Amino acid sequence: QICLSLVKLLFYLAHSPLGSIVLLDFQPRQFVMVDGNLKVTDMDDASTEELSCKEDNDCTLEFPTKSFPLKCSAVGKCEGINEKKNLFNAYRYFFTYLLPHSAPPALRPLLSDILNATGDLRYGINETVKAFEKVLHLYKSGLYLQERPLILKDYISLKGFRTVEGEEYKCWPSYNHLGCLLSIHSAEEAAAICNSQSQCQSFIVSQQRTWTGRPLASFQSSWTDLIPDTNAVVYIKRSAFSGERL
């Protein structure tokens, strides 16, 4: 969410009515999230000036660890230097820390491609926005899910119940640092996640939604203490289920 919001902001800056705008003091502390959107808090160090040049050798975009040769345009300006400077700063301050860690395994290669392409400045902002929107579409639609045998049939579902708190275990990445709370496309995906975790005996799907509209599922190491909850469905592994205990 943060990275997608950032590239949309950089897309606007690259195509603003004032021309291409560069953020000269590009640091994470210069941004804040407002209603799920990234905003710039300080525009004092923004500029529409693009580096003047006489030849291509005048147009080297330099960073502490990398430099990029750019073209000198017919009007004596380094082509796209403001856009590329913003994009590489987004890569080194945001993408490298946020993109590799929290996506479903099937989407990580696509995010890795974005990371590598922006890190080498092979993508401009237009291509970067399109790449992010493709990943978002796959994520929201569930099209990233690989075909596999249906395993939800190995679970018993009980509508209107959830387990009591205290039977949670920790996993990564989790929306709750004290437990294992993950976004899912469907209960079938949640069952696959539960099967992949040795501690998991049950999971609860509530009406909570993430910013993409995906439901949240809480994965539990037990299921024995159930309490009513009209907004939840608990799924229990048949292998762990005891009719007498219930």
Side-chain angles (χ1 to χ4, degrees):
Q1 182 180 13
I2 293 171
C3 292
L4 176 65
S5 186
L6 177 58
V7 297
K8 288 182 176 179
L9 172 61
L10 297 188
F11 179 86
Y12 173 78
L13 293 179
H15 301 284
S16 84
L18 299 176
S20 182
I21 299 174
V22 63
L23 302 177
L24 298 175
D25 186 18
F26 197 116
Q27 300 283 341
R29 65 175 179 266
Q30 299 283 17
F31 300 89
V32 64
M33 291 292 286
V34 179
D35 297 328
N37 294 307
L38 207 66
K39 306 280 188 182
V40 183
T41 60
D42 185 1
M43 292 293 288
D44 288 345
D45 293 311
S47 174
T48 58
E49 291 295 321
E50 291 195 312
L51 187 64
S52 298
C53 58
K54 293 182 179 179
E55 57 184 22
D56 291 349
N57 288 338
D58 297 329
C59 293
T60 300
L61 181 57
E62 295 185 351
F63 294 95
T65 59
K66 279 189 174 183
S67 61
F68 301 94
L70 303 181
K71 296 290 186 180
C72 182
S73 71
V75 295
K77 298 290 184 180
C78 296
E79 288 185 358
I81 192 169
N82 288 352
E83 172 187 329
K84 292 180 185 296
K85 188 171 185 178
N86 284 341
L87 190 55
F88 189 80
N89 279 328
Y91 158 80
R92 65 177 181 145
Y93 287 119
F94 287 89
F95 298 171
T96 54
Y97 297 104
L98 299 177
L99 286 186
H101 305 297
S102 59
L107 291 179
R108 288 175 192 167
L110 297 178
L111 293 177
S112 180
D113 288 344
I114 294 174
L115 195 63
N116 292 333
T118 53
D120 294 334
L121 287 184
R122 288 184 285 110
Y123 279 2
I125 191 61
N126 294 358
E127 294 86 356
T128 304
V129 168
K130 289 178 181 177
F132 268 103
E133 289 180 340
K134 176 183 177 181
V135 174
L136 179 63
H137 172 68
L138 294 172
Y139 185 62
K140 292 174 69 173
S141 65
L143 291 173
Y144 67 91
L145 294 169
Q146 300 172 349
E147 291 188 12
R148 63 182 73 187
L150 298 179
I151 55 179
L152 192 60
K153 58 182 175 55
D154 297 328
Y155 288 76
I156 293 172
S157 65
L158 298 172
K159 294 182 179 180
F161 289 94
R162 63 177 174 85
T163 57
V164 296
E165 296 181 3
E167 301 297 342
E168 299 176 338
Y169 59 90
K170 295 180 181 179
C171 70
W172 175 262
S174 174
Y175 284 84
N176 177 1
H177 70 280
L178 297 176
C180 188
L181 184 65
L182 303 175
S183 78
I184 57 170
H185 177 258
S186 63
E188 185 68 46
E189 183 182 16
I193 294 172
C194 188
N195 275 15
S196 71
Q197 299 175 344
S198 59
Q199 310 100 307
C200 187
Q201 295 296 314
S202 65
F203 62 89
I204 305 155
V205 179
S206 69
Q207 293 186 358
Q208 286 182 281
R209 295 292 188 270
T210 69
W211 67 281
T212 60
R214 287 163 56 99
L216 290 172
S218 176
F219 297 85
Q220 311 283 323
S221 59
S222 177
W223 61 271
T224 51
D225 297 313
L226 299 177
I227 57 176
D229 186 340
T230 56
N231 296 319
V233 182
V234 60
Y235 295 82
I236 306 165
K237 283 184 177 179
R238 291 183 183 273
S239 59
F241 187 77
S242 166
E244 294 180 2
R245 183 64 181 271
L246 183 62

